[in-house]
Amino acid sequence: HAYFVGQPKGYVVATIHDFTPRHLRELSEITQELERRNIFPLTVAVIPNYYGSFPLHESPEALDLLNNLREKGCEIALHGYKHSSENGKYSSLFSFIQGKIRGLHESEFECIGYDEAAERIAKGLLVLGRCGLSASGFIPPCWSVNDSSHQAIVDSGFPYIELRGKLIDARNGKSIDSRALEFTPSPKMADYLSRVFNYFLLSFTNN
């Protein structure tokens, strides 16, 4: 993902989403290619226990890659806890389309209350702590939250929260525009829709 922060001539932030042992081979290839192209450092959105089946602290290979990225100046953002929602609910057209087309419902913080959100955040931070890591900010899966889960994120003390369309300073509530270009390698339909979305977003930004 690439994020335009502030004005069109402001900053660009490259973010690798879904860092998990499940995608270790792809993550290694992508980060090597980005470094080769001098698109570095990166923000790495880390999932502590992807789908409840891939705990980060049990994968030495994933930790080696993550620590290597951190040593090269990359920052770590907490990206939910499991990146999955079991209740099957959708609160936005975007998440509904994503859930139906991709066959997944991954908006973990979209339809849960304050207490459950706070618990998942605490579990995620605990895993990071076991790995000797900390998070500079919070990026909810699919950039989706509700008022209750958003407040839980704020109360957890993260300096920033990144949502689709804006970057929030959680310390004072101020936000700036942040337009996201999303690149999804698979499945093909998701990749196609991402490219169409990016085209219209860039057209709008340039105008």
Side-chain angles (χ1 to χ4, degrees), residues 156-197:
S156 296
F158 294 99
Y160 72 82
I161 305 168
E162 184 183 284
L163 302 179
R164 180 178 288 276
K166 61 182 176 180
L167 185 67
I168 302 171
D169 186 334
R171 297 163 295 190
N172 56 32
K174 295 181 179 179
S175 64
I176 55 177
D177 291 337
S178 175
R179 300 181 182 93
L181 299 179
E182 181 178 357
F183 301 92
T184 305
S186 64
K188 289 185 177 181
M189 178 58 75
D191 178 48
Y192 174 77
L193 291 175
S194 296
R195 292 173 185 270
V196 171
F197 175 81

Side-chain angles (χ1 to χ4, degrees), residues 2-8 11-13 177-181 201-202 205:
Y3 301 93
F4 293 95
V5 181
Q7 299 302 316
Y11 299 95
V12 175
V13 179
D177 291 337
S178 175
R179 300 181 182 93
L181 299 179
L201 180 60
L202 283 174
T205 301

Side-chain angles (χ1 to χ4, degrees), residues 6 12 15 33 36 48 53 61 71 74 79 87 97 128 133-134 139 143 149 160 165 176 193 200:
V12 175
T15 302
E33 181 64 18
R36 186 183 71 82
S53 301
E61 297 84 359
E71 290 171 1
C74 297
H79 194 39
N87 57 28
I97 293 173
L128 291 185
L133 303 169
S134 60
I139 305 174
W143 301 285
S149 60
Y160 72 82
I176 55 177
L193 291 175
F200 284 105

Side-chain angles (χ1 to χ4, degrees), residues 19-66:
F19 188 101
T20 164
R22 171 67 177 82
H23 305 316
L24 184 58
R25 179 181 61 80
E26 294 89 343
L27 288 164
S28 180
E29 293 176 356
I30 291 170
T31 53
Q32 287 179 28
E33 181 64 18
L34 290 174
E35 185 174 15
R36 186 183 71 82
R37 293 174 178 265
N38 200 32
I39 304 175
F40 237 70
L42 309 164
T43 296
V44 184
V46 177
I47 306 170
N49 190 10
Y50 183 65
Y51 271 66
S53 301
F54 297 91
L56 180 66
H57 59 279
E58 294 183 5
S59 175
E61 297 84 359
L63 287 176
D64 285 346
L65 175 58
L66 191 54

